[in-house]
Amino acid sequence: MTTLSQAFEAAYGYAPTGVWSAPGRVNLIGEHTDYNNGYVLPFAIDRRTWAAVGVREDRTIRLRSTFADAEVTASLDDLSLDGMSGWSAYVLGVAWAAADAGADLSAAAGLDILIDSDVPVGAGLSSSAALECAVGVAFNELWGLGLDKLALARIGRVAENKAVGAPTGLLDQAASMLGEADHVVFLDCDTEQAHPVALHLAQENLQILVMNSNVEHEHATGGYGERFASCAKGAQELGVATLREVTADGLADAQARLDDVTYRRVRHVVTENQRVLDTVATLDADGPRAIGDLLNASQVSMRDDFEITVPEIDLACDTAVAHGAIGARMTGGGFGGSSIALVPAERAESIASAVRDALSAAGLREPSIFTVVPSQGARRDS
Ligand code: ADP
Ligand code: MG
């Protein structure tokens, strides 16, 4: 087997200075709460993107990925958003965003970079953040930027927002940067403070199944934007800057003042924020076997109030729970994508086949089902 370092040497003719990596992520709970300045609880997964990097003597950046044929070349003297497109925008965008955040790149050395990954692209596991964070930690070290992981997560997010043009929150990059083995990352999207929360999955003999519906979603248009607009409308009519400020006590008042659809959108966000806080408290007090009701309540809220699930996801979650999952819910922005099920390890296989059978019997698309292990965030590997 060729290692990434060997592949780098074959591509560029010398050995890399080092290899850095960062993982994809799954959100345990807290959906559509990020842009409402609320709470999210993602974890980094055991699928990563690696960047082998060599330092050059000039100011050129050369980029290759095992996912793409062509080499991309850029100059550190000429890093502008205009010139960025395609997959290289995720990498060059990080360099641009670091400079935009105040990093002095005037004497930074050019780099040769080779990317490899086992994070599936476009499956809702954030291969994009994995790429941004892998090169983010490499740049930080090789250019001596001295940034902490949260600062690097923010830079990755700015790259995604400005260089790629995807209006996403900090969730993906925070998970990829700050993840720890067997922990979730609690992120307050208002203060942007984050801390790890222990999961104890192995100790409890539990696993997390990802059930990818293989139903494609498009977040740039359609439902995602409509939900975003409904939340903004609800906040405006309730006289608050963001829905984070509304608590369960304020829901009766909200119901009296909002039309039915807007009220249900607001209720999802308000109750979901509370469920994230309750999940953290429950994990601390009683461990992961006690969070099933919260996961299931989140699924029902996304299905009935926020209306962002699809039949494939609903059936997968219901079937998993009926066959012994502790809890199951859609994860990610919705309208397709994946759901997760928290399952006793010894039942993982039988639950996965029950879900496959149920979807097949209903004439729905066949899912891809696999386990993910909460893993360490961005790091240097060699
Ligand atoms: P995801 O849900 O996987 O994050 P995105 O659409 O946000 O989906 O990001 C996927 C894009 O990120 C790809 O189309 C590609 O441009 C880029 N990307 C991700 N991983 C790699 C990789 N290993 N090599 C090159 N580009 C990658
Ligand atoms: Mg992405």
Side-chain angles (χ1 to χ4, degrees):
M1 194 185 90
T2 7
T3 65
L4 186 60
S5 294
Q6 287 166 339
F8 180 99
E9 200 161 342
Y12 294 116
Y14 65 100
T17 310
V19 176
W20 289 259
S21 70
R25 65 93 190 95
V26 161
N27 196 19
L28 180 66
I29 193 164
E31 231 59 72
H32 287 258
T33 46
D34 57 350
Y35 57 79
N36 288 298
N37 282 15
Y39 311 107
V40 294
L41 201 61
F43 60 91
I45 62 174
D46 54 331
R47 297 196 175 216
R48 308 181 75 84
T49 295
W50 294 270
V53 188
V55 177
R56 296 171 57 89
E57 287 176 1
D58 59 11
R59 298 267 291 163
T60 299
I61 293 189
R62 288 193 292 176
L63 274 177
R64 289 172 184 239
S65 166
T66 52
F67 284 30
D69 291 334
E71 180 177 289
V72 177
T73 309
S75 167
L76 281 171
D77 294 319
D78 182 26
L79 270 185
S80 83
L81 289 179
D82 297 343
M84 293 180 196
S85 65
W87 72 270
S88 62
Y90 294 86
V91 178
L92 299 173
V94 170
W96 178 89
D100 190 59
D104 180 7
L105 301 187
S106 60
L111 304 170
D112 289 324
I113 303 173
L114 175 62
I115 304 292
D116 191 18
S117 179
D118 66 6
V119 185
V121 169
L125 300 177
S126 208
S127 67
S128 57
L131 177 54
E132 291 148 5
C133 293
V135 298
V137 279
F139 294 168
N140 191 45
E141 193 172 331
L142 292 170
W143 290 337
L145 304 181
L147 296 167
D148 66 22
K149 286 192 158 184
L150 195 55
L152 291 171
R154 288 197 191 101
I155 283 169
R157 180 215 180 154
V158 171
E160 181 123 8
N161 294 166
K162 300 257 176 81
V164 178
T168 50
L170 189 60
L171 186 161
D172 299 353
Q173 294 81 9
S176 184
M177 275 291 170
L178 301 166
E180 292 180 16
D182 208 17
H183 285 70
V184 277
V185 177
F186 173 77
L187 172 68
D188 180 332
C189 298
D190 184 33
T191 63
E192 295 195 345
Q193 293 305 304
H195 65 83
V197 178
L199 269 173
H200 300 302
L201 290 187
Q203 187 184 316
E204 293 287 333
N205 202 23
L206 297 177
Q207 288 184 339
I208 294 176
L209 288 181
V210 170
M211 307 182 287
N212 183 350
S213 68
N214 292 318
V215 176
E216 304 258 330
H217 55 96
E218 179 53 76
H219 287 167
T221 56
Y224 191 96
E226 279 172 30
R227 297 305 179 277
F228 185 96
S230 286
C231 292
K233 180 176 180 224
Q236 194 196 12
E237 290 181 6
L238 294 173
V240 293
T242 67
L243 293 181
R244 177 207 177 84
E245 294 170 45
V246 184
T247 60
D249 296 344
L251 281 177
D253 173 56
Q255 186 167 22
R257 291 166 62 182
L258 302 173
D259 66 84
D260 176 60
V261 169
T262 309
Y263 170 63
R264 288 187 292 114
R265 306 300 188 240
V266 168
R267 184 166 63 180
H268 165 72
V269 173
V270 171
T271 57
E272 185 80 348
N273 271 329
Q274 188 58 48
R275 281 186 289 271
V276 176
L277 297 174
D278 291 348
T279 302
V280 172
T282 304
L283 284 171
D284 283 344
D286 303 309
R289 286 184 182 269
I291 66 169
D293 290 348
L294 290 161
L295 300 179
N296 296 336
S298 173
Q299 164 64 16
V300 169
S301 180
M302 290 187 288
R303 186 189 67 199
D304 298 345
D305 275 356
F306 221 59
E307 297 181 276
I308 52 173
T309 64
V310 294
E312 288 81 354
I313 296 266
D314 295 339
L315 185 57
C317 290
D318 291 348
T319 306
V321 171
H323 287 80
I326 287 163
R329 63 181 288 280
M330 190 195 82
T331 183
F335 309 100
S338 296
S339 50
I340 53 169
L342 178 63
V343 304
E346 70 280 5
R347 301 182 86 151
E349 286 286 331
S350 60
I351 289 171
S353 17
V355 169
R356 275 190 212 98
D357 291 349
L359 284 161
S360 161
L364 296 170
R365 192 181 303 223
E366 187 179 351
S368 314
I369 305 182
F370 50 92
T371 55
V372 288
V373 180
S375 299
Q376 198 193 341
R379 64 176 182 226
R380 182 169 185 167
D381 292 294
S382 66

